[in-house]
Amino acid sequence: FIFTVLPAALVTDTAPDLLISLVIVVCVISPDTLKIALLNVRSLKNHFADIQVDNCLLRSDILALSETWFPKQDFHAPELQGYQGHHIMSGQGKGVSLFIRETHPLLNSPRIINLNYLQILKAELPNFTLILVYRSPSRNSHSELADQLLELMPTDGSVIVLGDINLHPKENNNHYASFINRMASNGLSQIIDKPTHKDGNILDHVY
C-alpha cells in the first residue's frame, strides 16, 4: 500500500465546513493499481454536488465516506455515475457510504453493522476485503469496535480497514494504544502517521 494525506480538494469557499484532510490510499494489486479515497464528508447530501465535480476524488476507484448524515428513514441516497453506492444511514453526525466503481463488482451483498454509536460496512471484492468504519467519539467503544472488526476478518486474503475511528495518540487515556495494539496483534498495522484533522489529530485510520 502507498498512502498520502493531503488537503482535500473539496475544501473550498463553497464548502468550508468539510474536514481539511483527504486520505488517498493506493493499493497495488497486480497487475492493476487501485485507488481509494477516504473522506469525512460532513453531510453527503449537502456536498454531493461538490463530489460530482471534484477531479481528485473522481480519479478514485473507491470513495469511502464517513459522517454522511443521511436520514435513517424515507431517504433515497444519490447515485454517482459510474459507481455502485452502498450506504449505512444513521442520522446526523453518523453514517458511512462506499462508492465502488462499476468495473469492480462485489462478490456478494455488503455486511452491515449499524449501531447508534458505530457503523461498519464490509465489502468483499475479488482480490481483497474492504471494511469501512465510523465510530462516534461520544462513547468508549474502542474495545467493542476491535471485537466487531476482528469478527469480520476474512479467513484468507488481503483486507483493508479504514475510516473515521475517532481515536488519536494525544488522548489522555490508553484507548488509542489499546486499539492499535489489538489490531496489530492480529496482523493489522495503522499506517496513517500524519494529522487528518485541522487540530493536528489522527482521527482517520487505515490498516
Side-chain angles (χ1 to χ4, degrees):
F1 300 119
I2 306 167
F3 78 95
T4 185
V5 180
L6 66 160
L10 285 176
V11 182
T12 67
D13 292 337
T14 60
D17 58 331
L18 285 179
L19 190 67
I20 66 166
S21 292
L22 170 69
V23 179
I24 299 289
V25 181
V26 179
C27 308
V28 180
I29 302 176
S30 182
D32 300 316
T33 298
L34 189 76
K35 185 177 290 184
I36 303 171
L38 169 64
L39 178 70
N40 181 315
V41 71
R42 292 184 60 83
S43 179
L44 183 53
K45 180 180 178 181
N46 290 342
H47 296 298
F48 188 71
D50 298 306
I51 290 176
Q52 288 179 299
V53 296
D54 191 291
N55 291 328
C56 179
L57 288 177
L58 294 179
R59 286 197 296 269
S60 300
D61 299 289
I62 298 176
L63 304 180
L65 307 176
S66 61
E67 285 202 48
T68 51
W69 296 21
F70 283 154
K72 295 180 180 180
Q73 297 177 340
D74 303 322
F75 179 75
H76 180 70
E79 297 180 4
L80 187 61
Q81 185 176 359
Y83 293 81
Q84 287 288 334
H86 309 278
H87 312 279
I88 300 180
M89 302 183 187
S90 300
Q92 185 167 343
K94 306 171 187 175
V96 296
S97 289
L98 274 178
F99 288 98
I100 302 176
R101 203 175 290 280
E102 292 174 347
T103 52
H104 299 284
L106 299 186
L107 296 178
N108 45 48
S109 297
R111 172 88 178 270
I112 288 175
I113 296 174
N114 188 7
L115 305 175
N116 186 48
Y117 50 89
L118 181 64
Q119 293 88 54
I120 303 175
L121 196 159
K122 175 183 177 181
E124 295 182 80
L125 291 96
N127 293 317
F128 71 102
T129 297
L130 181 70
I131 301 177
L132 175 61
V133 179
Y134 175 75
R135 188 193 76 90
S136 172
S138 63
R139 175 167 172 157
N140 291 332
S141 56
H142 60 286
S143 294
E144 182 178 355
L145 172 57
D147 290 340
Q148 295 277 12
L149 290 175
L150 296 177
E151 191 274 331
L152 290 173
M153 289 298 114
T155 55
D156 55 21
S158 300
V159 61
I160 301 171
V161 177
L162 75 173
D164 191 351
I165 306 295
N166 279 309
L167 291 169
H168 60 89
K170 295 181 180 180
E171 289 181 320
N172 293 321
N173 54 50
N174 66 347
H175 294 172
Y176 176 84
S178 174
F179 180 78
I180 66 168
N181 288 339
R182 181 99 179 271
M183 298 291 280
S185 67
N186 287 272
L188 297 164
S189 299
Q190 215 293 77
I191 64 173
I192 302 299
D193 59 3
K194 298 176 183 177
T196 64
H197 188 271
K198 62 184 179 180
D199 293 333
N201 297 323
I202 302 175
L203 301 180
D204 304 274
H205 297 196
V206 177
Y207 295 85

